[in-house]
Structure formats: C-alpha cells, structure tokens
Amino acid sequence: MSGGIAGRCAASHERRRSRPTRTHGPPDARRPQLEVTVPTKKQRPAPSLRARLLGDRLRALREDRGLTLKYVSGYLGVDFVDVKDIEHGTRSAHHAQIVALLDLYSVYEQGERHFAIGLARDAFRLSAWEGDFDAPELPVSTLDSLWLESLAQRIRSYGAILVPDLLRTSGYAEEVVPRECGPQASESEVVWRTRALERRQREAFDRRPAVTVQAVIPEVTLLRPVWRADAVWRTQLDHLAKAGDSVRVLPTRAGYLPGMDGSFTVFDLPQKYVPTVACSAYLGGVAVHEGDAGQWYADAFDRLWDAALPPAESAQLITDLSHQ
C-alpha cells in the first residue's frame, strides 16, 4: 500500500514539474484573446418635422383638455404606447384616428382641422414629391423644406453665395444645379432637380392667396461667375431688377452681421401654434432649425434686410451691373 501511495505521489510530482510555467507578460503572450462584439440597438431614424409638429399639437391639445394617455388610448381603442408614439412623431395615425382626436379635443375650426389632417397625411410620406417615379431618394430634411415651402405664407431667403432658388431664371438654374448636385449625381438626377425647381417656382408664385417672397442678396453674389455665357448673367440680373420690393442687395460696404456667412431660408406658416422654422443649406443636404434656432435665423434675416439697400436703389444697382 505504501509503495502504491509513494508511486502516485511521485507521478503527481512529475506532472507538476512538467506543467508549463505561467508567465506574466501581456495577454496576447499567454493565450489567444476572443473578440466579443456586443450588439447595439439599431437607432430609429429621426422623425420628420411634419410628424413632430403633428405630435406636439396633439399632445398640447390633450394636456389642455386635462386628458391622460390612458383615457385617449381607450377612447381610440388602441394601446397606450400607440398614442404615446403618435405624440412623439414616431408612429403614423390614420385619417379616422385624427378626426376622432380632433372631435375629442373639441377642435372644430376648419382651418386647424384641415391642417392637422394634412399633417397626418404627409407626416411619413410626402406624396407630392415621393410619388414622383423619376425622383431620386430625398432626405427627410429636404422633404421637410419642400413641405414648408408649399405651405408658407411668407418666405425669407438670404443667398450668401448664389441667387435663392425661387428667384433663379431657367438659364441660371441649368448652370448652377449640376454643380450643386456634385459629380456623383447622375444626369437624370440633375434633369429632375432642374425641373423640380421650375415646378416649385410655379407653385409658389401661382398660389392663392399669394405667398410673400423676400430675398437679400449680397452684391458679390451678383458678380460671381457661374454662367458660360453673358446672356445668362444679364437675363438673371434683369429678372432680379424687375422683382420690385421682393429683392434687396446687401452692398459690399456693409459691415459684418450675424448670419451673413451662410445661405438660409425662413418659412412663416399661417398656423400660430407652428414655431418659426428655418432651413440652411450644407454640402449635399438641408438642415432644419425650429423653435429658438428658427427664430435666430428670422432675426438674422430682418437685420440683413434692414442693412440692405432699399428696393429702388437695389434695382438700380442690379441694372447698372447688367449693363457693364
């Protein structure tokens, strides 16, 4: 027995001696490391301005009436979270649901009912543009700006680099749009965007009641060569000179004012509960600014408008440039 125990002890001792020595170097020197990828939650795309405006208005109406989400969800026959998501702009609402909510909140003024129902229709799909088979895929912010333009009663634009969209002639647009789209844009996209601009101009100026368009254009913008022929330049200048009170030129002698370093447009909608909204262009897209940020752009435009030449002097300066 003692021999057996001694033998097992000797074998155990031999195994311990043959065991590799543990090192204290870097982890990779000891053993292979396993890379573990932790899945992340897929982020939802940001809701459109249209969806947020609808949700904000419905929430304000509900809270003003002193109703709870639980009560409203029971009234509609839907889950609590459905009403919550509608108010956050992340879930669409059917026409019948919007009508029922407006009735529940005692909203009977036809203008507000029509606007809310239109918002619900356009919140997740702007059929007027997304229904165009030839249209490229448009970002949500671009669709929001098109929607704002279609409803605004006043549009205020500052063109730091180029003539604002609604005041461009067809020749000027044909020169500028391909460069705005960039070299990655296909020929069909350039053609579509040029035609879309003509459609936007037609819809804006043929609207009844008429939309008020105001534009401030720096003098240097009128001198910037973006055309291949002088005729394009002169036609554009003549068009601006005939715009009357809509256009003011910011002379080069004007001092610096906040906001003059970038192009932007301010949209004033007739609905009093819709905050001031502005859009600014950046390379390849549009940024939407609402609330305090939108008001900042509105105030910046008013300062630029006041600093610019009066309409008659602006028209004379533009005419003089076209005759050079």
Side-chain angles (χ1 to χ4, degrees):
M1 179 179 295
S2 60
I5 294 175
R8 287 195 296 272
C9 290
S12 176
H13 179 69
E14 185 64 27
R15 284 195 299 271
R16 286 197 298 270
R17 289 181 57 189
S18 62
R19 188 175 297 168
T21 304
R22 182 173 296 177
T23 64
H24 298 280
D28 290 343
R30 296 199 303 267
R31 67 187 66 171
Q33 299 296 304
L34 297 178
E35 294 186 3
V36 180
T37 301
V38 179
T40 58
K41 184 178 180 180
K42 185 177 180 181
Q43 292 184 341
R44 288 182 177 182
S48 69
L49 171 69
R50 294 150 280 151
R52 295 198 307 274
L53 288 176
L54 175 64
D56 290 345
R57 184 55 180 165
L58 292 176
R59 181 169 60 253
L61 289 170
R62 176 180 60 78
E63 293 176 348
D64 185 62
R65 272 54 172 183
L67 301 177
T68 64
L69 283 171
K70 182 177 180 181
Y71 178 87
V72 173
S73 61
Y75 176 82
L76 292 179
V78 299
D79 292 338
F80 169 93
V81 71
D82 292 344
V83 178
K84 182 179 178 181
D85 287 347
I86 290 173
E87 292 188 356
H88 281 83
T90 57
R91 178 182 290 273
S92 62
H94 301 301
H95 177 274
Q97 291 175 328
I98 295 298
V99 171
L101 288 174
L102 294 175
D103 291 342
L104 176 63
Y105 301 149
S106 301
V107 177
Y108 300 115
E109 198 277 318
Q110 288 303 310
E112 182 166 358
R113 289 179 71 92
H114 177 75
F115 183 71
I117 292 171
L119 266 180
R121 180 195 62 230
D122 297 335
F124 288 85
R125 178 175 171 78
L126 197 60
S127 299
W129 292 100
E130 292 180 277
D132 187 343
F133 179 78
D134 296 324
E137 184 175 355
L138 299 173
V140 171
S141 58
T142 299
L143 292 168
D144 281 335
S145 68
L146 292 170
W147 175 79
L148 288 164
E149 188 177 84
S150 71
L151 293 180
Q153 62 182 4
R154 182 168 64 149
I155 300 174
R156 294 175 280 174
S157 296
Y158 173 68
I161 305 298
L162 299 169
V163 173
D165 288 5
L166 294 182
L167 295 174
R168 294 177 180 178
T169 62
S170 58
Y172 186 95
E174 289 173 0
E175 294 285 348
V176 168
V177 170
R179 307 182 199 187
E180 289 181 317
C181 293
Q184 73 282 358
S186 63
E187 182 178 354
S188 60
E189 180 178 349
V190 172
V191 171
W192 182 88
R193 290 185 182 276
T194 304
R195 292 177 178 173
L197 176 58
E198 295 175 356
R199 170 186 165 185
R200 288 166 52 202
Q201 293 173 333
R202 186 170 57 252
E203 292 178 354
F205 292 110
D206 291 348
R207 192 184 310 165
R208 294 294 178 271
V211 60
T212 299
V213 176
Q214 294 175 293
V216 175
I217 306 174
E219 183 179 353
V220 67
T221 297
L222 302 176
L223 298 172
R224 180 166 289 108
V226 296
W227 40 81
R228 299 174 187 171
D230 286 346
V232 174
W233 176 54
R234 299 186 191 283
T235 301
Q236 178 64 71
L237 292 181
D238 290 343
H239 178 67
L240 293 175
K242 297 175 183 177
D245 296 342
S246 296
V247 174
R248 290 190 178 187
V249 177
L250 189 67
T252 53
R253 65 176 182 270
Y256 173 78
L257 289 171
M260 70 185 307
D261 49 345
S263 300
F264 62 88
T265 300
V266 180
F267 300 98
D268 298 314
L269 272 64
Q271 288 71 25
K272 294 181 179 179
Y273 57 83
V274 176
T276 301
V277 184
C279 292
S280 61
Y282 63 89
L283 190 61
V286 176
V288 179
H289 314 275
E290 53 189 301
D292 292 341
Q295 188 59 49
W296 186 92
Y297 279 97
D299 294 340
F301 179 88
D302 290 341
R303 288 191 293 267
L304 293 166
W305 181 262
D306 292 339
L309 298 175
E313 293 183 33
S314 295
Q316 186 60 54
L317 187 150
I318 296 171
T319 300
D320 291 344
L321 289 175
S322 69
H323 291 162
Q324 289 182 1

